[in-house]
Amino acid sequence: MARRRGTEPGPATISDVARRVGVATSTVSRALTRPGRVSDALRLRVLAAAAELGYQPNPQARSLTSGRTGCVALLVQDVTNPYFCGLIRGTQTQLRSRGYRHLLVDLENNDEIEEAALAELPSAVDGMVVMGAHVSDDRLREVARRVPVVVINRELDGVPSVVVDTPSALEDALQYLVSLGHRRIAYAAGPKPSWSSRKRWAALQGAAERLGVTCERIGPFSPGKLAGAAAADAALHIGVTACIFFNDLLAIGALKRFAERGVAVPGDISVVGCDDIFGADFCNPPLTTITAPTEQVGRTATDMLLARLHPGDAETAALPERVKLPAPLTIRASVASARPAQAEPAPPRPAAALGETVS
């Protein structure tokens, strides 16, 4: 507690911190909420004084004086999907370093919940990072006119975006399968509203045509392990030798279904996932997949949003409005050479007489 002149001991205020450091209260505010606007040395002095005095910023008071809440929302489709762990961590780390609170919103792959969140949140937060939105482009643009927005894995004119280049990576995966002798391959698509699933399918179609092989689309499927069983059955029904799945959860669910049906992976069918989530490397067999840099995605998207909230900050001024991050193919044990087609059985030969040599 700090004892202020003429008062009883009470909670330390920003004025107490300013007096201790010998600067204006506005400078302390910048050091705590917009560190890019002050020197590192001054920011460290302010932080040390705040810690010594026990000063805790009041978010409500800051909101009333600045018109801002100090809170940024991250919207994800399914918080139980391990794909989002790195994304959440990257976003949270960047926001904490800039003095913002982090509001995580799970949309539960539910369009009604998504619509309600997009309607309500703009008046409650300073900005939003939106991952895998299902709403239309026009609806997202409307939201972005109300509050700064950055979208992930979707490109939208007028709205900053970070995209993982999975379409190019899946082209690499297809070429790898072709090099192993696969000529008939399936793509198990994600949800119908998914922008990234449509882009991946378009890339695979173009690559298949260039390589002279067949790539058939099955689905769409919900992006979870339970839907993987249906995707596996569909792939077996059309008789492909390999299947590329929209994400790792679908692929892992398919691995379980293949095992239940006595189908060997990769002996009978090769499997490729997408995302490289936690667990992809120790499922049975370990999954060949596209490795998405999710934590980097979260950090980049958050920096792009902060650039919108604080124009002119040196830390974020150089960021473009669109960023595309590469995603390498990680090869593990779920892919192997295509099993060669079995030759037609030869017609039966007459039995040889005793002692006759059959050549």
Side-chain angles (χ1 to χ4, degrees):
M1 300 290 185
R3 180 181 293 275
R4 297 186 301 283
R5 204 172 299 166
T7 68
E8 292 299 314
T13 68
I14 193 170
S15 297
D16 296 324
V17 178
R19 279 194 294 270
R20 178 64 60 91
V21 180
V23 297
T25 56
S26 59
T27 302
V28 173
S29 177
R30 283 196 298 273
L32 294 175
T33 62
R34 302 172 68 181
R37 302 296 295 274
V38 300
S39 69
D40 290 341
L42 178 56
R43 180 169 182 262
L44 290 174
R45 286 171 55 204
V46 169
L47 291 174
E52 182 183 345
L53 295 171
Y55 170 67
Q56 295 293 328
N58 185 327
Q60 288 75 29
R62 184 169 67 184
S63 174
L64 289 172
T65 58
S66 68
R68 290 188 171 177
T69 66
C71 184
V72 166
L74 170 63
L75 283 65
V76 301
Q77 286 296 331
D78 180 8
V79 77
T80 65
N81 186 337
Y83 175 84
F84 295 113
C85 294
L87 182 72
I88 293 167
R89 177 172 294 175
T91 303
Q92 183 171 273
T93 299
Q94 296 305 94
L95 289 174
R96 185 187 297 120
S97 72
R98 299 293 297 272
Y100 279 88
R101 289 170 294 140
H102 178 216
L103 175 63
L104 176 62
V105 181
D106 181 11
L107 303 178
E108 303 177 36
N109 280 311
N110 184 301
D111 292 348
E112 291 183 5
I113 293 176
E114 179 177 318
E115 180 53 50
L118 293 176
E120 297 168 7
L121 283 173
S123 61
V125 297
D126 293 342
M128 300 195 301
V129 176
V130 182
M131 168 72 195
H134 290 172
V135 296
S136 68
D137 289 355
D138 287 344
R139 181 70 178 105
L140 269 180
R141 288 192 189 95
E142 180 187 341
V143 174
R145 285 193 289 269
R146 298 175 59 198
V147 68
V149 171
V150 174
V151 293
I152 295 175
N153 282 350
R154 183 165 177 170
E155 290 180 339
L156 187 63
D157 289 341
V159 180
S161 64
V162 182
V163 174
V164 180
D165 193 9
T166 48
S168 294
L170 288 184
E171 290 183 33
D172 294 340
L174 184 66
Q175 188 160 356
Y176 175 59
L177 290 170
V178 171
S179 75
L180 295 175
H182 296 275
R183 294 294 179 270
R184 193 160 181 230
I185 299 146
Y187 171 61
K192 188 174 181 179
S194 171
W195 181 91
S196 59
S197 185
R198 294 194 299 273
K199 287 291 185 181
R200 294 173 196 180
W201 172 232
L204 286 170
Q205 283 180 298
E209 185 175 348
R210 289 193 302 272
L211 295 168
V213 298
T214 299
C215 188
E216 299 187 42
R217 180 182 179 274
I218 54 177
F221 297 102
S222 175
K225 285 192 294 185
L226 291 178
D233 289 342
L236 293 176
H237 179 70
I238 63 174
V240 295
T241 62
C243 187
I244 298 172
F245 290 83
F246 169 72
N247 69 0
D248 286 349
L249 288 180
L250 265 178
I252 291 170
L255 290 178
K256 182 174 183 293
R257 180 60 171 167
F258 288 139
E260 291 170 351
R261 294 189 57 173
V263 176
V265 177
D268 297 321
I269 188 168
S270 289
V271 171
V272 177
C274 187
D275 294 339
D276 203 7
I277 62 172
F278 176 78
D281 56 342
F282 54 78
C283 56
N284 186 26
L287 187 63
T288 294
T289 186
I290 308 302
T291 299
T294 54
E295 191 164 339
Q296 183 183 358
V297 170
R299 291 196 305 268
T300 303
T302 305
D303 283 343
M304 292 171 74
L305 183 66
L306 291 170
R308 300 289 301 278
L309 294 174
H310 305 291
D313 272 13
E315 294 180 39
T316 54
L319 288 173
E321 288 228 336
R322 287 190 178 180
V323 174
K324 184 174 288 187
L325 299 174
L329 173 65
T330 299
I331 298 171
R332 300 194 182 104
S334 65
V335 170
S337 298
R339 190 171 59 181
Q342 295 183 353
E344 292 292 328
R349 298 182 59 177
L354 185 60
E356 179 183 356
T357 300
V358 180
S359 57

